[in-house]
PDB file of all heavy atoms in Angstrom:
ATOM      1  N   LYS A 734      16.455  -2.879-124.975  1.00 98.00           N
ATOM      2  CA  LYS A 734      16.109  -4.307-124.970  1.00 98.00           C
ATOM      3  C   LYS A 734      16.549  -4.989-123.672  1.00 98.00           C
ATOM      4  O   LYS A 734      16.132  -6.107-123.381  1.00 98.00           O
ATOM      5  CB  LYS A 734      16.724  -5.005-126.179  1.00 98.00           C
ATOM      6  CG  LYS A 734      15.971  -4.682-127.467  1.00 98.00           C
ATOM      7  CD  LYS A 734      16.396  -5.580-128.596  1.00 98.00           C
ATOM      8  CE  LYS A 734      15.572  -5.296-129.844  1.00 98.00           C
ATOM      9  NZ  LYS A 734      16.053  -6.054-131.006  1.00 98.00           N
ATOM     10  N   LEU A 740      19.956 -10.176-126.125  1.00 98.00           N
ATOM     11  CA  LEU A 740      20.521  -9.545-127.328  1.00 98.00           C
ATOM     12  C   LEU A 740      21.448 -10.526-128.050  1.00 98.00           C
ATOM     13  O   LEU A 740      22.276 -11.181-127.415  1.00 98.00           O
ATOM     14  CB  LEU A 740      21.281  -8.279-126.930  1.00 98.00           C
ATOM     15  CG  LEU A 740      20.359  -7.135-126.495  1.00 98.00           C
ATOM     16  CD1 LEU A 740      21.028  -6.235-125.482  1.00 98.00           C
ATOM     17  CD2 LEU A 740      19.917  -6.337-127.715  1.00 98.00           C
ATOM     18  N   ALA A 758      20.563 -10.833-136.096  1.00 98.00           N
ATOM     19  CA  ALA A 758      21.408 -10.190-135.080  1.00 98.00           C
ATOM     20  C   ALA A 758      20.864  -8.833-134.661  1.00 98.00           C
ATOM     21  O   ALA A 758      20.229  -8.133-135.443  1.00 98.00           O
ATOM     22  CB  ALA A 758      22.823 -10.026-135.633  1.00 98.00           C
ATOM     23  N   LEU A 767      39.587 -10.813-136.310  1.00 98.00           N
ATOM     24  CA  LEU A 767      39.884 -11.151-137.707  1.00 98.00           C
ATOM     25  C   LEU A 767      41.384 -11.400-137.885  1.00 98.00           C
ATOM     26  O   LEU A 767      41.804 -12.117-138.802  1.00 98.00           O
ATOM     27  CB  LEU A 767      39.356 -10.072-138.672  1.00 98.00           C
ATOM     28  CG  LEU A 767      39.894  -8.628-138.623  1.00 98.00           C
ATOM     29  CD1 LEU A 767      41.198  -8.471-139.386  1.00 98.00           C
ATOM     30  CD2 LEU A 767      38.858  -7.673-139.207  1.00 98.00           C
ATOM     31  N   VAL A 770      41.615 -15.081-136.895  1.00 98.00           N
ATOM     32  CA  VAL A 770      40.712 -15.937-137.681  1.00 98.00           C
ATOM     33  C   VAL A 770      41.088 -15.948-139.171  1.00 98.00           C
ATOM     34  O   VAL A 770      41.079 -16.991-139.812  1.00 98.00           O
ATOM     35  CB  VAL A 770      39.242 -15.493-137.486  1.00 98.00           C
ATOM     36  CG1 VAL A 770      38.301 -16.299-138.354  1.00 98.00           C
ATOM     37  CG2 VAL A 770      38.834 -15.613-136.021  1.00 98.00           C
ATOM     38  N   VAL A 780      46.859  -6.246-135.783  1.00 98.00           N
ATOM     39  CA  VAL A 780      45.788  -5.719-136.660  1.00 98.00           C
ATOM     40  C   VAL A 780      45.906  -4.197-136.741  1.00 98.00           C
ATOM     41  O   VAL A 780      46.138  -3.528-135.735  1.00 98.00           O
ATOM     42  CB  VAL A 780      44.404  -6.135-136.104  1.00 98.00           C
ATOM     43  CG1 VAL A 780      43.288  -5.534-136.926  1.00 98.00           C
ATOM     44  CG2 VAL A 780      44.282  -7.660-136.064  1.00 98.00           C
ATOM     45  N   LEU A 782      44.560  -0.219-138.264  1.00 98.00           N
ATOM     46  CA  LEU A 782      43.336   0.541-138.513  1.00 98.00           C
ATOM     47  C   LEU A 782      42.888   0.351-139.967  1.00 98.00           C
ATOM     48  O   LEU A 782      41.696   0.191-140.248  1.00 98.00           O
ATOM     49  CB  LEU A 782      43.580   2.034-138.219  1.00 98.00           C
ATOM     50  CG  LEU A 782      42.350   2.921-138.267  1.00 98.00           C
ATOM     51  CD1 LEU A 782      41.356   2.538-137.181  1.00 98.00           C
ATOM     52  CD2 LEU A 782      42.720   4.393-138.113  1.00 98.00           C
ATOM     53  N   VAL A 802      29.162  -2.322-135.229  1.00 99.00           N
ATOM     54  CA  VAL A 802      30.221  -1.827-134.338  1.00 99.00           C
ATOM     55  C   VAL A 802      31.573  -2.319-134.866  1.00 99.00           C
ATOM     56  O   VAL A 802      31.680  -3.454-135.330  1.00 99.00           O
ATOM     57  CB  VAL A 802      29.996  -2.353-132.894  1.00 99.00           C
ATOM     58  CG1 VAL A 802      31.072  -1.847-131.952  1.00 99.00           C
ATOM     59  CG2 VAL A 802      28.617  -1.947-132.379  1.00 99.00           C
ATOM     60  N   THR A 809      45.736   2.398-131.344  1.00 98.00           N
ATOM     61  CA  THR A 809      45.041   3.439-132.130  1.00 98.00           C
ATOM     62  C   THR A 809      44.256   4.365-131.210  1.00 98.00           C
ATOM     63  O   THR A 809      43.617   5.298-131.671  1.00 98.00           O
ATOM     64  CB  THR A 809      44.071   2.842-133.176  1.00 98.00           C
ATOM     65  OG1 THR A 809      43.064   2.073-132.496  1.00 98.00           O
ATOM     66  CG2 THR A 809      44.783   1.995-134.203  1.00 98.00           C
ATOM     67  N   LYS A 908      26.905 -11.862-113.469  1.00 98.00           N
ATOM     68  CA  LYS A 908      25.533 -11.695-112.961  1.00 98.00           C
ATOM     69  C   LYS A 908      25.417 -10.380-112.187  1.00 98.00           C
ATOM     70  O   LYS A 908      24.477  -9.602-112.387  1.00 98.00           O
ATOM     71  CB  LYS A 908      25.210 -12.881-112.043  1.00 98.00           C
ATOM     72  CG  LYS A 908      23.764 -12.996-111.665  1.00 98.00           C
ATOM     73  CD  LYS A 908      23.574 -14.262-110.851  1.00 98.00           C
ATOM     74  CE  LYS A 908      22.131 -14.422-110.401  1.00 98.00           C
ATOM     75  NZ  LYS A 908      21.956 -15.629-109.611  1.00 98.00           N
ATOM     76  N   LYS A 912      23.303  -7.051-113.273  1.00 98.00           N
ATOM     77  CA  LYS A 912      22.227  -6.567-112.393  1.00 98.00           C
ATOM     78  C   LYS A 912      22.401  -5.079-112.084  1.00 98.00           C
ATOM     79  O   LYS A 912      21.438  -4.304-112.105  1.00 98.00           O
ATOM     80  CB  LYS A 912      22.251  -7.394-111.103  1.00 98.00           C
ATOM     81  CG  LYS A 912      20.981  -7.266-110.309  1.00 98.00           C
ATOM     82  CD  LYS A 912      20.902  -8.314-109.219  1.00 98.00           C
ATOM     83  CE  LYS A 912      19.837  -7.896-108.217  1.00 98.00           C
ATOM     84  NZ  LYS A 912      20.347  -7.853-106.853  1.00 98.00           N
ATOM     85  N   ASP A 928      23.158  -9.832-120.544  1.00 98.00           N
ATOM     86  CA  ASP A 928      21.953  -9.416-121.278  1.00 98.00           C
ATOM     87  C   ASP A 928      21.938  -9.961-122.707  1.00 98.00           C
ATOM     88  O   ASP A 928      20.885 -10.006-123.346  1.00 98.00           O
ATOM     89  CB  ASP A 928      21.877  -7.882-121.323  1.00 98.00           C
ATOM     90  CG  ASP A 928      21.688  -7.291-119.939  1.00 98.00           C
ATOM     91  OD1 ASP A 928      20.734  -7.709-119.248  1.00 98.00           O
ATOM     92  OD2 ASP A 928      22.496  -6.437-119.529  1.00 98.00           O
ATOM     93  N   VAL A 952      26.992 -25.564-136.716  1.00 98.00           N
ATOM     94  CA  VAL A 952      26.853 -26.165-138.038  1.00 98.00           C
ATOM     95  C   VAL A 952      28.264 -26.423-138.580  1.00 98.00           C
ATOM     96  O   VAL A 952      29.201 -25.693-138.252  1.00 98.00           O
ATOM     97  CB  VAL A 952      26.000 -25.240-138.960  1.00 98.00           C
ATOM     98  CG1 VAL A 952      26.645 -23.890-139.165  1.00 98.00           C
ATOM     99  CG2 VAL A 952      25.710 -25.858-140.311  1.00 98.00           C
ATOM    100  N   LYS A 955      32.500 -26.450-142.931  1.00 98.00           N
ATOM    101  CA  LYS A 955      33.648 -27.033-143.639  1.00 98.00           C
ATOM    102  C   LYS A 955      33.225 -28.254-144.447  1.00 98.00           C
ATOM    103  O   LYS A 955      33.651 -28.433-145.585  1.00 98.00           O
ATOM    104  CB  LYS A 955      34.733 -27.451-142.645  1.00 98.00           C
ATOM    105  CG  LYS A 955      35.643 -26.315-142.275  1.00 98.00           C
ATOM    106  CD  LYS A 955      36.873 -26.856-141.587  1.00 98.00           C
ATOM    107  CE  LYS A 955      37.698 -25.710-141.075  1.00 98.00           C
ATOM    108  NZ  LYS A 955      39.064 -26.048-140.786  1.00 98.00           N
TER     109      LYS A 955
END
Side-chain angles (χ1 to χ4, degrees):
K734 285 192 177 174
L740 288 150
L767 63 83
V770 176
V780 176
L782 187 64
V802 180
T809 61
K908 191 176 178 181
K912 196 167 164 234
D928 295 306
V952 61
K955 275 194 187 199

